[in-house]
Structures are given as structure tokens and as C-alpha cells.
Amino acid sequence: MFRPLFAVLPLLIVAAPSLAADKIDPKIRAEFDRTDANKDGVLTRAEIDARVARMDVGKAKLPPGKAKAISGAWFNTADANHDGKVTPTEMQGLFRALASRYDTNHDGVVSLDERAAARAAVIGPAAGPTGR
């Protein structure tokens, strides 16, 4: 199964506040490197589009329109300086903000219930076996 960009959130919420701004968490770096198809050290909109289009949602793929909407929103939010590229620092900043947002009880951990609510907010209710 292909791990979505959002899958690292539960793993990062505990460590994220203690990371220095210029130090990239190894899990974020690994996720970034898997997404950086041309290995130029930045993520383009096309690389994000391709990565999100390959994401599994349960036993189905995201519908193309939903994948495009998610990747566009992700890219626009992550590209903090609006230069058309996402750096590892920008990606880490987005994940920190998302983790903080989804940790609704502010205990420093994204619980399974908080993760399920975050998933539903991003991609909607879980699809049935037919993907509908």
C-alpha cells in the first residue's frame, strides 16, 4: 500500500515542537525524498500531483478530481513563500501546522479518533468496497 503524505502526522506530533526550525525530522525527510521524483531538492506541483494520485484510500484509489483538489490544496498551503516549489523546511512547517490542528485536545498526540476525524475532513467519509 502506498503511504500518503498525511500518514506521517501521528508519528511527528510528539517530536515536532522540539525540532529546531532548520533541522528536518528524519521521517519528514524520508517522505520528502520519496516524493522528490527528480531528486532536485524541491517539490513541484507536478510531483505532488503524481504522489497524491497514487495514494490508496482503504482498498481504492482517490478519484482523480479529489486527488487533484487535495494535491492543489496541499501544495498551495505548503509553498509558504509562493515561489512554486516546496522545500523540506516548508513541508515540515505544513506537517507541524496540520499536526497541531488535528490534535484537538492538545495533548501532544494525534489519537486514532483525531486521525479518523482529520481523514474524514480531508477526503470525506470512508468509501465502500466499490469506492463510491
Side-chain angles (χ1 to χ4, degrees), residues 5-26:
L5 293 169
F6 307 107
V8 294
L9 285 177
L11 305 173
L12 299 176
I13 186 75
V14 174
S18 64
L19 294 172
D22 59 346
K23 180 160 172 54
I24 305 302
D25 181 276

Side-chain angles (χ1 to χ4, degrees), residues 47-125:
E47 287 170 322
I48 297 299
D49 287 349
R51 184 70 190 259
V52 173
R54 295 187 309 259
M55 285 174 32
D56 291 333
V57 181
K59 296 181 181 180
K61 294 284 184 196
L62 280 172
K66 186 67 125 176
K68 191 74 166 171
I70 289 171
S71 67
W74 189 97
F75 190 88
N76 290 337
T77 305
D79 184 15
N81 65 359
H82 307 292
D83 66 353
K85 301 175 274 191
V86 174
T87 65
T89 301
E90 287 174 317
M91 184 173 174
Q92 180 163 278
L94 174 62
F95 281 146
R96 282 181 178 174
L98 288 171
S100 177
R101 176 178 173 193
Y102 296 139
D103 179 20
T104 56
N105 65 358
H106 308 292
D107 66 352
V109 176
V110 176
S111 69
L112 292 176
D113 288 341
E114 289 167 328
R115 183 175 179 214
R119 180 183 182 277
V122 171
I123 62 173

